[in-house]
Every structure is written in structure tokens, then in C-alpha cells.
């Protein structure tokens, strides 16, 4: 497997210590779909000199080079995804968790055009209440019933 340093170098990104740390964080938190703030706050403990701007600029560079994907499912913030394969997301409106979901879609099966348009990206956003929150709703309903 290629080292993170090699991956960045191959994309023309100078592998500074901070950039490597950000890349490493993304690779370890693949299910989190973190925001710039979340990454900044976590890394601040290890790298007190890191700035929010550095995190933001680094993620932008990763995005440009296709090393991460950006998800705008919440409509108010940018979330980053280390998994750059075409896949869809589910947002829980109660706890705010963003999860990958598998949905059969002709575009993930290799379809490349629609109505004569060339499709280059596919983002499916599904919203609702996640199974964990549904459990909580059910439990509290049972508790309060006489
Ligand atoms: Zn939830
Ligand atoms: Zn994802």
C-alpha cells in the first residue's frame, strides 16, 4: 500500500506534517463525514499551531485533486468524505449523524448519461430518523404510557 506521503506527492500536494495529519485523520474517520471545525478541534490537541485556515485550505486542495469528496446534505455546512467512490448518504434529522447507505442506482452500475447529458457526479441525499433514534422514540413512548 502507498504511504500517505506518496499519495499526496503523486497529486502534486507538498506533504507537510499538518497536511499528512489531516489526511490521516480523514482516513481514520471515514464514517464520520467531518466538517472543517470537527477536524480542526481534533487535531488541535496534537498540533497546537494548526489553524482553521490550514485545515480548510488543505481540504480544498484534497477536494480539487479528488482525494476527498464534499457532501452538502445538511444544506448549511460542508462535510468531507474520504470515500470517493460514488455512494449515497442518509442524514438523521434527530441526532445529525450522516451515514453511507446502499441504494441501487443505475449510475453506480456504470450508467454515464441521462437525457443526453454526461453525468460526472451522483449524490443521493436521504433524510429521516435513524434506527438508533427510532429506538429511543419507541422506548420513551413505552415509559410514559400508564
Ligand atoms: Zn439519529
Ligand atoms: Zn460517505
Amino acid at each position: 500500500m502507498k504511504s500517505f506521503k506518496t499519495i499526496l506527492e503523486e497529486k502534486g500536494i507538498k506533504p507537510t506534517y499538518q497536511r499528512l495529519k489531516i489526511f490521516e485523520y480523514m482516513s481514520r474517520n471515514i464514517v464520520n463525514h467531518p466538517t472543517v471545525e470537527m477536524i480542526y478541534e481534533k487535531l488541535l490537541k496534537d498540533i497546537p499551531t494548526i489553524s482553521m485556515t490550514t485545515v480548510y485550505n488543505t481540504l480544498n486542495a484534497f477536494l480539487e485533486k479528488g482525494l476527498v469528496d464534499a457532501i452538502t446534505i445538511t444544506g448549511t455546512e460542508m462535510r468531507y468524505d474520504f470515500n470517493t467512490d460514488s455512494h449515497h448518504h442518509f442524514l438523521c434529522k434527530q441526532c445529525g449523524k450522516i451515514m453511507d447507505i446502499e441504494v441501487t442506482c443505475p449510475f453506480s452500475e456504470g450508467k454515464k448519461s441521462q437525457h443526453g447529458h454526461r453525468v460526472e457526479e451522483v449524490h443521493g441525499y436521504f433524510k429521516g430518523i435513524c434506527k438508533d433514534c427510532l429506538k429511543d422514540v419507541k422506548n420513551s413512548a413505552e415509559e410514559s404510557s400508564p
Side-chain angles (χ1 to χ4, degrees), residues 30-31 33 69 71 80-85 87-89 98-101:
I30 193 155
V31 297
H33 305 96
D69 256 342
I71 315 168
Y80 293 90
D81 198 341
F82 193 70
N83 178 1
T84 54
D85 293 338
H87 65 285
H88 304 301
H89 292 96
I98 297 171
M99 288 157 265
D100 290 347
I101 50 168

Side-chain angles (χ1 to χ4, degrees), residues 90 92-97 99 128-134:
F90 177 85
C92 174
K93 291 197 275 188
Q94 193 133 320
C95 66
K97 232 185 261 167
M99 288 157 265
I129 312 292
C130 77
K131 58 181 178 194
D132 294 334
C133 289
L134 281 175

Side-chain angles (χ1 to χ4, degrees), residues 38 43 57 61 79 93 97 103 109 112 116 132-133 136:
M38 285 158 79
L43 290 181
N57 290 341
R79 310 284 295 233
K93 291 197 275 188
K97 232 185 261 167
V103 178
E109 247 102 80
K112 290 272 184 278
D132 294 334
C133 289
D136 290 349

Side-chain angles (χ1 to χ4, degrees), residues 62-78:
F62 289 173
L63 190 61
E64 244 171 61
K65 303 289 181 182
L67 293 170
V68 297
D69 256 342
I71 315 168
T72 52
I73 188 167
T74 64
T76 52
E77 58 187 6
M78 191 83 106

Side-chain angles (χ1 to χ4, degrees), residues 16 18-19 21-23 25-26 34-44 47 49-63 68 78 80:
T16 62
Q18 299 197 350
R19 286 177 188 157
K21 280 289 183 189
I22 295 168
F23 197 69
Y25 178 85
M26 287 303 295
T35 62
V36 165
E37 287 82 3
M38 285 158 79
I39 301 167
Y40 169 73
E41 272 162 29
K42 282 280 183 254
L43 290 181
L44 197 57
I47 321 167
T49 53
I50 202 164
S51 73
M52 190 92 107
T53 311
T54 301
V55 178
Y56 179 80
N57 290 341
T58 302
L59 282 163
N60 255 348
F62 289 173
L63 190 61
V68 297
M78 191 83 106
Y80 293 90

